[in-house]
Amino acid sequence: MSAALGTDLRAEPGSFRDPANRVLYAGQDVLRALDETAAAHWRALAGSDFFPPLMAAGKVCGTEEMPAATAPQRWAAVLRHDRIPFVSHPYEWSFTMLRDAALLHLEILREALPAGFTTKDGSAYNLQWRGTEPVFIDVGSFAPLREGEPWAGYRQFCQTLLYPLLLNAHLGVDFRPWLRSQVDGIEPDQMGRLFRGVRRLLPGVLTHVHLHGSVQRRNAARTTTDVRAQLRDAGYSRELALATVRGMEKLVRRLDHQPPTSHWVDYQRTCGYSEADRSTKERFVTAALTSAAQRRLVLDLGANDGRYARLAAAHADYVVAVEQDPAVVDRLYRALRGEGERRVLPLVMDLADPSPGGGWRGTERASFAARTGADTVLALALVHHLAIGRNVPLPEVLACLTALAAPGGRLVVEFVHPEDPMARRLLANKPDGLFPDYRRDAFEALLAARGTVEDRLELPSGSRTLYRVALGG
């Protein structure tokens, strides 16, 4: 281990599949250690005409090579990357987010091929976000193109990006459960069983599902070297590869999904807030955000149309806006993208079933709780949906919310009283007497047990109370 980097190097659990490079952490620095071959590829990449402009435009994460003396033992070089504000996973993205990520991946490949480079991988996990701008993070994926060889990342691209988009666009099937349950994505055979008969003729299906699956089965017993040699002999060229990428870009750009309208899409209009309640609530939240000493990361849980996420973005470095309804998140993403917002990241997630750890040993993809540690957690008009709507006991709700905060962080939370019209609507669908502990005094006792209530305010309607809590370290 290099003394120049200290002794606190930590390996990223999700970076082990490519033996030529490994992502490491040293304090707040994100590093990438390269072997001799990968180091040579990096230097050629950094000296190319296409790569620096992509990095300057923010389409590839900022990267610089560190002095040779800093390289850890057995590695030939070490790079330092710009840090991504919050790591998310593709099964937490909306349809349009996944499509935009796929288009960036293809754009980068389209720029790389004429310059004599390709990417070894095609995984959706090679992309992250700065607000609503996707960014390619796997610099170690770039390699010199060998004439006559196909794109090595094609299968991964199909399984983690194209197939999920086809499911949503053509069948209206939510791709998120598929990606969450299978770290390597959706297999061609799985897709093929869903696209039979006339569905085979839907855009992209015949070529990228059935033909791809057929070729894969036919070559199952052959080595990669044999397949590459066969393609070279058949005249596969860089120009053909570039034409394929352009065709996939055209296909992906045409894919669209308009989710059915749900109750939550128009929630701000139908939730029953008076104008006095709304303005009072906004003043309280603003005061809570401006009073915090540090606001590096704010979580807005149950973000809906992003009203409070936008408010938080004016007082924080970065905001992660979590909402359960994919249609609501997709609408929010499109709005934020149109505004050029780079400090709010919208994510699809059910807080009663948040993203668990996944992949190898359950740590290759970190759980949502392991990725948070927010300085401020906003939980506005949320508690009653979990406690009554999802039958989660109040102590468990508070345990969940406080666990997402950093030690010494703050919780800004709204308690909807049992007599509030929204709470009464939820309770009407439950057996009588099922929630005897859903009371304001019980909620306040739970807050006091977890920190110091610095401020509280009852909204003018009299049926909702806001709290600002400094959590115990």
Side-chain angles (χ1 to χ4, degrees), residues 80 118 124 139 204 220 251 296 388 390 397 410:
R80 179 165 52 202
T118 186
V139 171
L251 167 65
R296 178 187 58 83
I388 302 174
R390 305 300 290 274
V397 173
R410 276 178 168 76

Side-chain angles (χ1 to χ4, degrees), residues 141-469:
S141 177
F142 288 97
L145 177 67
R146 290 189 287 187
E147 197 65 42
E149 291 197 357
W151 178 31
Y154 173 72
R155 177 178 177 177
Q156 279 187 326
F157 183 88
C158 287
Q159 293 187 183
T160 63
L161 286 161
L162 180 59
Y163 290 172
L165 291 171
L166 292 177
L167 276 182
N168 240 173
H170 291 333
L171 303 183
V173 173
D174 189 351
F175 65 83
R176 279 161 287 269
W178 294 70
L179 289 185
R180 176 169 154 168
S181 65
Q182 299 176 180
V183 71
D184 292 323
I186 308 168
E187 296 283 346
D189 285 348
Q190 292 176 306
M191 287 289 289
R193 287 191 287 272
L194 297 173
F195 287 91
R196 291 176 172 168
V198 295
R199 289 179 176 176
R200 295 167 63 95
L201 304 179
L202 290 167
V205 172
L206 200 58
T207 299
H208 299 294
V209 175
H210 290 288
L211 181 59
H212 179 203
S214 176
V215 170
Q216 197 166 282
R217 288 190 297 272
R218 190 167 62 248
N219 292 320
R222 307 181 67 185
T223 67
T224 302
T225 302
D226 290 340
V227 174
R228 288 172 174 168
Q230 182 185 29
L231 286 169
R232 281 195 298 269
D233 293 343
Y236 190 85
S237 65
R238 183 184 309 188
E239 290 71 24
L240 185 56
L242 191 56
T244 300
V245 171
R246 286 175 175 153
M248 292 182 75
E249 272 190 292
K250 184 178 180 181
L251 167 65
V252 170
R253 203 175 298 279
R254 289 170 53 202
L255 295 175
D256 198 9
H257 173 63
Q258 297 297 329
T261 301
S262 71
H263 166 73
W264 303 107
V265 168
D266 206 21
Y267 181 70
Q268 287 295 343
R269 186 180 64 82
T270 62
C271 64
Y273 281 107
S274 67
E275 188 54 41
D277 277 2
R278 197 183 306 278
S279 59
T280 301
K281 182 174 175 178
E282 288 188 7
R283 287 195 298 271
F284 184 92
V285 173
T286 300
L289 289 166
T290 54
S291 67
Q294 182 184 21
R295 298 171 297 278
R296 178 187 58 83
L297 176 65
V298 172
L299 286 185
D300 182 12
L301 305 177
N304 197 260
D305 67 356
R307 175 186 294 266
Y308 295 99
R310 288 181 175 89
L311 189 64
H315 305 283
D317 295 337
Y318 205 67
V319 181
V320 176
V322 177
E323 171 59 48
Q324 178 182 347
D325 192 307
V328 174
V329 175
D330 208 60
R331 177 180 287 192
L332 175 58
Y333 168 74
R334 292 179 189 228
L336 293 170
R337 184 185 60 181
E339 298 162 15
E341 179 58 70
R342 296 189 61 182
R343 287 184 296 169
V344 179
L345 171 66
L347 296 179
V348 180
M349 194 178 309
D350 179 358
L351 291 170
D353 183 21
S355 300
W360 176 248
R361 300 181 68 185
T363 62
E364 188 178 357
R365 306 288 174 238
S367 70
F368 180 64
R371 288 175 273 142
T372 51
D375 301 296
T376 300
V377 175
L378 303 181
L380 305 170
L382 172 69
V383 169
H384 60 300
H385 289 294
L386 295 173
I388 302 174
R390 305 300 290 274
N391 288 29
V392 180
L394 271 182
E396 287 294 322
V397 173
L398 264 298
C400 169
L401 299 181
T402 55
L404 298 177
R410 276 178 168 76
L411 171 66
V412 180
V413 62
E414 178 177 1
F415 184 74
V416 175
H417 305 179
E419 60 271 19
D420 181 89
M422 183 60 69
R424 289 171 61 185
R425 189 183 307 172
L426 292 171
L427 288 166
N429 296 318
K430 303 290 182 177
D432 291 340
L434 187 61
F435 302 99
D437 297 325
Y438 186 81
R439 307 186 316 273
R440 178 175 170 177
D441 62 329
F443 185 73
E444 291 184 348
L446 291 169
L447 289 178
R450 292 190 170 271
T452 302
V453 177
E454 298 177 316
D455 197 7
R456 79 187 71 200
L457 178 68
E458 189 171 293
L459 294 182
S461 63
S463 63
R464 298 184 177 215
T465 304
L466 300 166
Y467 302 88
R468 185 180 82 223
V469 184

Side-chain angles (χ1 to χ4, degrees), residues 78-126:
V78 62
L79 310 178
R80 179 165 52 202
H81 296 306
D82 289 350
R83 194 175 186 92
I84 298 300
F86 187 87
V87 173
S88 60
H89 301 321
Y91 43 85
E92 298 164 349
W93 304 346
S94 74
F95 175 88
T96 308
M97 291 176 74
L98 192 73
R99 185 180 64 188
D100 285 353
L103 287 171
L104 176 62
H105 208 308
L106 292 170
E107 177 189 351
I108 288 170
L109 185 60
R110 173 169 45 81
E111 295 291 327
L113 288 171
F117 282 86
T118 186
T119 55
K120 298 182 289 185
D121 309 304
S123 173
Y125 295 95
N126 288 351

